[in-house]
């Protein structure tokens, strides 16, 4: 039961990943709404392996990969594999809110913690007096030089 749920989840994630990557590709048809027979362009990585064979992989979908003797055959096989992969599938857009990467100001959490403290004014007065003492000390030191 658990492995069946895992397989279903994996298939759903594959469909979502496929949609995300497909969403970034150009559509051939000029219709604003996709029809059932519309075509899209898929980015494919094509490279030669050490044995001279051609490897074609759909960018972002490593499970959609073929190996053939030449580029034309590899692309034809990959197209067939994509068609099989998409058979019976529906591609939909799923809006996902990305997490914010803004750093929070650590001082915001402390704002207002002393608003009801009866000794807060006395503390501010003590800080001000201490600063005045430091200013006098600095003035005296600089006048002696």
């Amino acid at each position: 039961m658990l492995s069946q749920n895992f397989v279903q989840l994996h298939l759903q994630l594959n469909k979502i990943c496929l949609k995300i990557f497909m969403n970034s590709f150009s559509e051939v048809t000029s219709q604003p709404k996709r029809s059932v027979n519309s075509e899209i362009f898929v980015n494919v990585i094509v490279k030669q392996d050490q044995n001279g064979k051609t490897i074609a992989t759909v960018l972002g979908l490593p499970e959609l990969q073929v190996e053939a003797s030449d580029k034309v055959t590899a692309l034809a096989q990959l197209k067939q594999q994509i068609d099989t992969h998409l058979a019976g599938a529906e591609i939909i857009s799923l809006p996902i809110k990305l997490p914010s990467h803004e750093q929070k100001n650590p001082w915001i959490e402390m704002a207002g913690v002393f608003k009801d403290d009866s000794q807060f004014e006395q503390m501010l007065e003590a800080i001000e007096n201490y600063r005045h003492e430091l200013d006098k000390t600095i003035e005296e030191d600089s006048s002696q030089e």
Side-chain angles (χ1 to χ4, degrees):
M1 179 79 171
L2 181 62
S3 62
Q4 185 179 13
N5 289 339
F6 177 78
V7 169
Q8 288 175 347
L9 179 62
H10 182 70
L11 290 173
Q12 288 174 348
L13 286 174
N14 275 346
K15 287 180 182 179
I16 291 171
C17 289
L18 182 62
K19 173 57 187 160
I20 291 170
F21 286 103
M22 296 294 196
N23 201 27
S24 67
F25 304 134
S26 303
E27 188 167 334
V28 174
T29 61
S30 59
Q31 300 172 355
K33 186 177 180 182
R34 288 189 179 167
S35 65
V36 176
N37 295 324
S38 65
E39 293 182 3
I40 58 172
F41 290 101
V42 178
N43 292 330
V44 176
I45 299 172
V46 179
K47 60 183 178 180
Q48 297 289 320
D49 71 1
Q50 297 169 347
N51 300 326
K53 296 228 178 200
T54 301
I55 300 172
T57 310
V58 175
L59 186 62
L61 297 169
E63 67 271 14
L64 296 178
Q65 180 178 37
V66 296
E67 184 178 312
S69 59
D70 59 84
K71 182 178 177 179
V72 173
T73 306
L75 292 175
Q77 289 177 359
L78 187 60
K79 184 179 182 328
Q80 179 61 42
Q81 192 177 46
I82 293 169
D83 290 342
T84 303
H85 186 75
L86 294 177
E90 178 183 7
I91 299 175
I92 59 170
S93 294
L94 181 64
I96 298 173
K97 185 173 182 172
L98 297 176
S100 174
H101 293 302
E102 296 177 21
Q103 291 186 357
K104 294 181 181 177
N105 186 340
W107 295 106
I108 296 295
E109 294 176 17
M110 296 297 295
V113 294
F114 296 111
K115 69 178 180 181
D116 297 326
D117 190 335
S118 61
Q119 297 178 340
F120 185 67
E121 291 297 324
Q122 293 172 350
M123 181 187 68
L124 290 178
E125 189 175 317
I127 292 171
E128 186 176 356
N129 290 337
Y130 178 69
R131 287 181 178 169
H132 287 302
E133 289 176 24
L134 286 177
D135 289 343
K136 285 180 185 176
T137 305
I138 291 171
E139 285 178 13
E140 290 173 1
D141 289 345
S142 62
S143 65
Q144 291 177 359
E145 292 177 358

